[in-house]
Amino acid sequence: MLRVAGGHDDVPPEIWPALRAGVPASVPGCVHTDLLAAALIADPYLDQNEHELKWIGRCDWKYSTTFGTPEREADRVDLVCGGLDTFATVEVNGTLVGTTRNMHRSYRIPVQDVLAGDANELVVTFASAVLRSRELRDTVGDLPRPVEILPEPYQFARKMACNFGWDWGPELVTAGIWKLIQVHAWSVARFDKVRPIISVAGTTGMVRVEVELERAGAPHDVELTASVGGSQQTITIPGAETTGEIELEVDHADLWWPHGMGAQARYELTLTLETETGLLDTWARQIGFRTIELDTAADDGGSAFTLIVNDRPIFGRGANWIPDDCFPTRVSSDRYRRRLEQARDANVNLLRVWGGGLYETDDFYEACDELGILVWQDFPFACAAYPEELLADEVEAEARENIVRLMPHPSLALWNGNNENIWGWHDWGWQEQLEDRPWGLGLYVDLLPALLAEIDPTRPYWPGSPYSGSMDVAPNADEHGCTHLWDVWNERDYTAYRDHVPRFVAEFGYQAPPTWTTLTRAVHDNPLTPDSAGILSHQKADDGHAKLTRGLATHFRAPVTTEDWHFATQLNQARAITLGVEHFRSHRGQCMGAIVWQLNDCWPAISWSAIDSAGRQKPMWYALRRAYADRMLTIQPDQDGLAAVAVNDGDASWHGTLRVERRSFAGDLLADWKSQLSVRRDSTSTFRLPPNLTTPGEPARELLVADVGGMRTTWFFCPDKDLDYPAPSYDIDFRRDGDDALMRVCARTLLRDVAIFVDRLDAHASVDDMLVTLLPGEERTIRIHNGARLPAERLRQTPVFRCANDLNSGT
């Protein structure tokens, strides 16, 4: 049962009696989800409801239930709290048994001395994280953070920072029992920590298993058995000891690889703990044999930042991951799997779990293991100076727990100390505000790397993102470390990505609204316009709409309708990300990674995401899939001309004939050129194009088309707004294929960036391709998943059928 335990004056009077009496509570869950289930609050994701619900985060809340005493005799009975969000007191039968102040860790509390038969009362009371954070701030003084968008002192709580709002998320400050809470009775000994330290020597996979036990009752010798891949060992741990170690070897072990580079081989590692009287405890995880290194060596270009997997340097084709819902318990294992499959299908091989969110659930990392997606894991610190003196003990406890929890996962590739805090110290005016106060650096350069060296020395660590590798060098220096490129979105046109050749860009992005269905299910403004109140409520970026407008103005004519604005901004986002990714990849070797901001959304926002909060893929997703393909062909500026660049991240060499043509929009061949292409694995080849190709007669009516064996890319000589596009003309053939439909588009004119927005007709329908460019006489068949019953005539019409051409005519 959930009750309000102390409140704010803004609690709506009509629901106060219900909150005092109590409403059913779900565990795992949080206050918001329970109040939603009880129909006491409106959905905070809809319209402007978020702003009316801030009172929830300013109240204290009490969860209560009853439970029985375990039937079997036991030396210990523990209350095991998987996750309490955040400032909690725990009482059993009226006795205080524990207090917590950290969302990111678990708690095990002995309760055998306070149990009372079959009717034990458990009460967990949560203090307001908003008010408690303010109190902690007042004890030591405020510290820098982006106050203009995040006024609450979130950095004083070890809690998911983006609960307090972000430039893509609402302020919904949660409280609750967000992971399982259980009663565990046990005797003699149990596994406290299991640390599998995994390595590879030649063809042999090796596991050193370090075990820490917790004991209770009289001391007993125990037998520890470990097995993996047909190898098994047993040791005896004497009754006075609490640690043990076993080494195992697997001959001819199959390696775990990121997808596209090999199989994701995994082996089950199992442990048992026994005495002569029987089994005490078990532990089992799927592990993978692979090596991981981070090369940061100095070179002629500065210093590298390259991930090396199984001795093979990889280009990180990445995306940033944020919590997939403001209320994390709503993210099921199936939802994690779907989202991560979408990442893999977009050719993403690296996800960065961003530092304003969470250490994700086991479901997330297990899916990454299975799908072959590397994980860059931030420790949860973001965009603020942190009070080391208040948090050091809690940070150490949470880090120890999560390092141990995540170390079996082969997908976990890199630990990172924080998000943008070192940047803040260098460039956001913090030094003057802080004077000589600690601000978190000791956590990032001393505590966290020391813990990893002690617990899991097999994985690389980097103190922050962005970070150059030295506090004496600007954190966003292109020549060193990892950078964040936000000058483009905030200040410049996206063509300015070409001004940077970073060693590794860990954040860059461009905004667009969610899909039309997601947007209109969340916002019910009438009329719905780009600047209507509900739309603006879902735009959290500082001056975000003005930046969208500025970005459009460089490339497109001003949108005439809301539908045009929606399509134009989505298309501009896709173009920006394509340009950035293709530029960075064309410099493979100097640049070895690009992590786009961001893969996913936590609510229906106008944001930088490729996939909206309903799981629908924006045009950017299709663009990202194409730009992140193992083999990529692109045309890039080269000195005073143009070059074709072929990038090969595949497993084999790439051979073929490169053909480049200059054509008129009417399809006439004006010039052509060809060359034999041969690109080794993990390399690029650049072909400087001759002037007869790169010098158009009529720039507004011509384009370049480059092709290798059916892989094609284009180059237009002017921004869309200056192009003399023909009015789009096409034929469409539609036929059913089971539950799907096949839609054949035959171009009578040039059609640039064809997009079929089938969600406007059926929320469950989707397409297998988007942003297809067709020359006159060409055709493309697009599969519409769950599209068999769609009205064929509607598919031919705007705003379902769109292409860049019609933005110039205002249709």
Side-chain angles (χ1 to χ4, degrees), residues 423 486-492 509-510 542 547 550 608:
W423 186 12
W486 285 114
D487 59 337
V488 168
W489 164 252
N490 288 314
E491 301 165 6
R492 309 174 67 193
Y510 217 84
D542 182 35
K547 293 170 184 176
R550 185 202 70 225
W608 297 266

Side-chain angles (χ1 to χ4, degrees), residues 16 31 49 227 240 319 338 353 358 372 462 714 804:
W16 184 262
V31 171
N49 294 341
S227 62
R338 287 195 303 273
V353 180
L358 300 161
W462 194 247
T714 59

Side-chain angles (χ1 to χ4, degrees), residues 470-493:
S470 169
M471 292 299 290
D472 297 325
V473 177
N476 268 316
D478 281 345
E479 299 81 8
H480 303 279
C482 56
T483 63
H484 292 189
L485 295 181
W486 285 114
D487 59 337
V488 168
W489 164 252
N490 288 314
E491 301 165 6
R492 309 174 67 193
D493 182 62

Side-chain angles (χ1 to χ4, degrees), residues 294-306 308 462 479-481 503:
L294 179 65
D295 177 12
T296 59
D299 58 24
D300 291 342
S303 57
F305 196 93
T306 304
I308 301 173
W462 194 247
E479 299 81 8
H480 303 279
R503 305 311 301 260

Side-chain angles (χ1 to χ4, degrees), residues 41 78 94 135 167 523 600:
I41 60 171
D78 293 340
E135 292 169 2
D167 55 3
V523 178
N600 59 324

Side-chain angles (χ1 to χ4, degrees), residues 440-628:
L441 185 64
L443 305 175
Y444 316 136
V445 301
D446 295 324
L447 176 62
L448 296 175
L451 292 176
L452 281 161
E454 172 195 340
I455 300 168
D456 182 12
T458 68
R459 283 182 176 83
Y461 170 81
W462 194 247
S465 184
Y467 182 55
S468 63
S470 169
M471 292 299 290
D472 297 325
V473 177
N476 268 316
D478 281 345
E479 299 81 8
H480 303 279
C482 56
T483 63
H484 292 189
L485 295 181
W486 285 114
D487 59 337
V488 168
W489 164 252
N490 288 314
E491 301 165 6
R492 309 174 67 193
D493 182 62
Y494 60 71
T495 55
Y497 283 134
R498 296 189 179 121
D499 295 340
H500 298 275
V501 183
R503 305 311 301 260
F504 196 114
V505 55
E507 282 189 22
F508 69 105
Y510 217 84
Q511 269 201 351
T515 59
W516 186 261
T517 295
T518 299
L519 181 67
T520 54
R521 288 188 172 188
V523 178
H524 303 96
D525 296 347
N526 188 14
L528 183 72
T529 67
D531 58 356
S532 59
I535 293 283
L536 292 177
S537 185
H538 289 251
Q539 167 63 276
K540 298 297 184 181
D542 182 35
D543 210 22
H545 261 38
K547 293 170 184 176
L548 280 174
T549 300
R550 185 202 70 225
L552 280 178
T554 307
H555 297 276
F556 294 97
R557 298 176 188 176
V560 174
T561 66
T562 300
E563 285 82 359
D564 281 354
W565 171 84
H566 184 265
F567 175 48
T569 51
Q570 287 198 329
L571 180 56
N572 211 36
Q573 179 192 39
R575 295 268 190 87
I577 296 307
T578 296
L579 185 145
V581 169
E582 290 187 355
H583 165 70
F584 300 136
R585 290 191 71 190
S586 75
H587 289 275
R588 193 190 200 283
Q590 177 74 4
C591 177
M592 286 301 289
I595 308 181
V596 68
W597 187 272
Q598 65 212 63
L599 180 73
N600 59 324
D601 261 330
C602 64
W603 80 314
I606 298 164
S607 82
W608 297 266
S609 72
I611 303 167
D612 71 23
S613 62
R616 298 187 178 96
Q617 293 157 181
K618 294 157 68 169
M620 170 184 159
W621 182 90
Y622 298 89
L624 196 64
R625 180 179 65 178
R626 192 170 291 119
Y628 272 166

Side-chain angles (χ1 to χ4, degrees), residues 100-179:
T100 77
R101 56 189 184 104
N102 193 331
M103 181 185 188
H104 300 304
R105 57 176 292 202
S106 64
Y107 298 86
R108 176 176 284 267
I109 305 170
V111 295
Q112 64 271 14
D113 294 340
V114 296
L115 297 181
D118 294 331
N120 298 284
E121 183 184 39
L122 170 64
V123 176
V124 184
T125 304
F126 293 92
S128 160
V130 172
L131 302 184
R132 189 74 183 104
S133 296
R134 292 177 187 173
E135 292 169 2
L136 290 169
R137 172 199 60 193
D138 293 343
T139 64
V140 297
D142 206 0
L143 291 168
R145 66 185 172 282
V147 176
E148 63 280 359
I149 61 169
L150 291 164
E152 298 297 345
Y154 66 89
Q155 72 265 48
F156 290 83
R158 292 311 294 149
K159 174 176 173 56
M160 186 168 83
C162 59
N163 263 177
F164 293 83
W166 219 261
D167 55 3
W168 38 257
E171 181 185 335
L172 294 169
V173 182
T174 56
I177 303 171
W178 80 285
K179 290 187 177 181

